[in-house]
Amino acid sequence: MNGLMMNTPLLISSIAEHAAKFHGDREIVSVTGDNPCHRCTIGEAISRAKQLANALGKLGLKQGDRIATIAWNDYRHLEIYYGVSGSGYVCHTINPRLFAEQLIFIINHAEDRFIFVDAMFVPLLEALADKIPNVEGFIVLTDEAHMPETSLRNVLCYETFIGAESSHFDWPELDERTASALCYTSGTTGDPKGVLYDHRSTILHAYASLAPDVMGLSSRDVVLPVVPLFHVNAWGIPYSVLMAGAKLVFPGPKMGDGEALYGLMDSENVTLALGVPTVWLALLQYTEKAGKRLDKLDRSIVGGAAVPRAMIEAFRDKHDVEVRQGWGMTEMSPVGAVNTIKAGLEKLSPDDLLDLATKAGRGLYGCELRIVDDGGNELEWDGQAYGALQVRGPWICSDYFKLEGSAGSHTDDGWFDTGDVAIIDPQGYMTITDRTKDVIKSGGEWISSIELENTAMGHPAVAEAAVIGVAHPKWTERPLLVVVKAEDQDVSKEEMLAFFEGKVATWWVPSDVAFVDELPHTATGKVKKIELRRQFADYQLPD
Ligand code: ADP
């Protein structure tokens, strides 16, 4: 017997309607390429999203067509999120930091019909325009006064494109399984793969994000997403924040600028900021140097890579800011686990609480987790056993766009293999010890590169650290620590290695240290281990 409840589809347009009605006067502050401080309200942004929907309706598009964006975090990008997905098209966000070949591959694979582009990325597209012949037109995200000269064909100005349209639009009643957005993985192995989100998965993920032990979003929050709208929907922030009615502060092109981020946090009273560890390094370096304190910030959600203990400690002890580590991936919309203190653990010592906070978090309701051994057998959550981490749930991809089962990413019993190796403790806290492909295999045992990196980051002279496996005649591989020194600080190889004593097993201590000026980063700000391994491919470890 079925229940007798309404079968209302979960649609992104319903967030727009809710937000405009209940939180229409809440502010959105943006740094953009054409305005250092643009202010509008949620209500205005939704009206403009409807103008955009009307304009799109004249382009001869059909449901499911892909419309791309290459843009920073600002109000116009947010309008596109709603205008495009709400109308039944697929909003394909593209990472501008990808290489030209990857951009060409992605745009052609997605069969993008139009591209919304920030003026500063126009030259990027000009350079590859003849390799993306199927794109019918480009809409530059600015007004007529700031339109760049360009050789691109069929170019429109965003403000003119939407300007004459009505702000009345009846959102179509779509099936909730309709595709809404597309994001390609970074393609660290092989070609990038497209993850195709739908309305239902997006809404469920946003609902889950609101929970107190996840992001804990309320209408009283002021949220600064330093996670890009061009990657995994900025962790779902455009949806969850509009559900909650919080104020949004968009950093535009200032994402990696510690001083600018501090300025925004201070002037706009930001209570919650989200980003990968690298951007917070820039912020903390700035506050340290300038003698500033993050007085207004309440919590910071940090994920996308392991969060060093020293960073959590600096946020907590210098700024009284709670760091919530999160774990997830593009294929998971992305949130799968978040680290908050579970009932019964509040009384741990400050040091033990720091140890706890270095873990990737507990799985949230809606994302099932399991760890399995090489034979696919489920492992105990005993805080010791480590294995391949697999997930299942309504906001996890069931396949990749146009790959139909050929990626080998799912198990026969329907779980997604994350490619991460993890340990889960009896309380359910998970520690990511490595990517399957980054794990260091030494003498038949595994060494966690992440744990070594976190340890190294605890040394005051270390600004950034990465550990890779280097070929070794006896042990197969041994860890090499690659370090970027903090400004005005020095540390010798011997001091660095001595720092590991007593902190990790003796045989885990890196076999050597290399000092470099900078580490290669991926487009999302993570250390690019593939590139680092290439750089150190012929590295000779000392005997
Ligand atoms: P890409 O790195 O290709 O852009 P994602 O953004 O989807 O792809 O990154 C997902 C990966 O990032 C995860 O599979 C995991 O390896 C890593 N990651 C994310 N959060 C954490 C975390 N808290 N601790 C350790 N690794 C993490």
Side-chain angles (χ1 to χ4, degrees), residues 405-426:
S406 62
S409 49
H410 289 74
T411 63
D412 291 341
D413 59 347
W415 290 68
F416 172 71
D417 202 333
T418 63
D420 283 341
V421 181
I423 297 172
I424 306 181
D425 73 17

Side-chain angles (χ1 to χ4, degrees), residues 194-448:
V195 179
L196 189 61
Y197 309 103
D198 61 36
H199 286 255
R200 179 174 186 270
S201 69
T202 303
I203 301 271
L204 293 174
H205 177 265
Y207 257 133
S209 305
L210 298 181
D213 276 337
V214 183
M215 295 189 187
L217 281 169
S218 99
S219 70
R220 296 170 300 284
D221 272 313
V222 179
V223 181
L224 174 75
V226 194
V227 283
L229 288 173
F230 59 68
H231 192 62
V232 213
N233 305 322
W235 301 354
I237 280 297
Y239 313 112
S240 51
V241 166
L242 262 64
M243 266 185 188
K247 169 175 161 180
L248 266 169
V249 181
F250 283 129
K254 299 287 185 190
M255 305 260 279
D257 181 334
E259 183 172 2
L261 292 177
Y262 176 81
L264 282 172
M265 288 179 169
D266 193 50
S267 61
E268 301 302 329
N269 299 318
V270 170
T271 59
L272 167 65
L274 306 97
V276 295
T278 336
V279 305
W280 301 134
L281 270 183
L283 176 77
L284 292 173
Q285 274 166 7
Y286 169 75
T287 53
E288 188 68 34
K289 218 167 156 182
K292 306 271 191 197
R293 196 168 176 274
L294 299 164
D295 288 328
K296 296 157 185 171
L297 193 66
D298 169 52
R299 60 206 190 281
S300 145
I301 298 184
V302 191
V307 188
R309 193 178 196 272
M311 177 178 285
I312 304 171
E313 192 175 11
F315 267 117
R316 186 186 75 176
D317 296 349
K318 292 189 178 157
H319 302 278
D320 195 21
V321 170
E322 179 200 354
V323 168
R324 291 188 181 184
Q325 179 157 186
W327 168 84
M329 57 198 304
T330 309
E331 289 87 339
M332 301 172 59
S333 299
V335 184
V338 174
N339 192 334
T340 53
I341 302 168
K342 201 170 161 176
L345 301 180
E346 308 93 324
K347 297 261 162 15
L348 288 178
S349 71
D351 236 29
D352 288 345
L353 282 173
L354 265 187
D355 287 339
L356 183 72
T358 59
K359 300 189 177 192
R362 286 180 285 130
L364 44 132
Y365 172 74
C367 176
E368 285 178 86
L369 305 167
R370 71 179 185 190
I371 41 175
V372 300
D373 65 15
D374 286 344
N377 307 302
E378 224 178 311
L379 296 168
E380 289 282 320
W381 292 14
D382 59 4
Q384 303 286 328
Y386 50 83
L389 179 60
Q390 300 181 344
V391 292
R392 189 165 71 169
W395 57 80
I396 288 148
C397 73
S398 59
D399 207 340
Y400 291 100
F401 186 47
K402 301 205 292 193
L403 283 185
E404 282 102 29
S406 62
S409 49
H410 289 74
T411 63
D412 291 341
D413 59 347
W415 290 68
F416 172 71
D417 202 333
T418 63
D420 283 341
V421 181
I423 297 172
I424 306 181
D425 73 17
Q427 302 267 17
Y429 287 88
M430 184 178 76
T431 303
I432 306 290
T433 62
D434 251 310
R435 293 291 289 164
T436 322
K437 54 187 187 299
D438 292 340
V439 83
I440 298 158
K441 295 175 189 101
S442 180
E445 300 273 357
W446 287 8
I447 297 177
S448 160

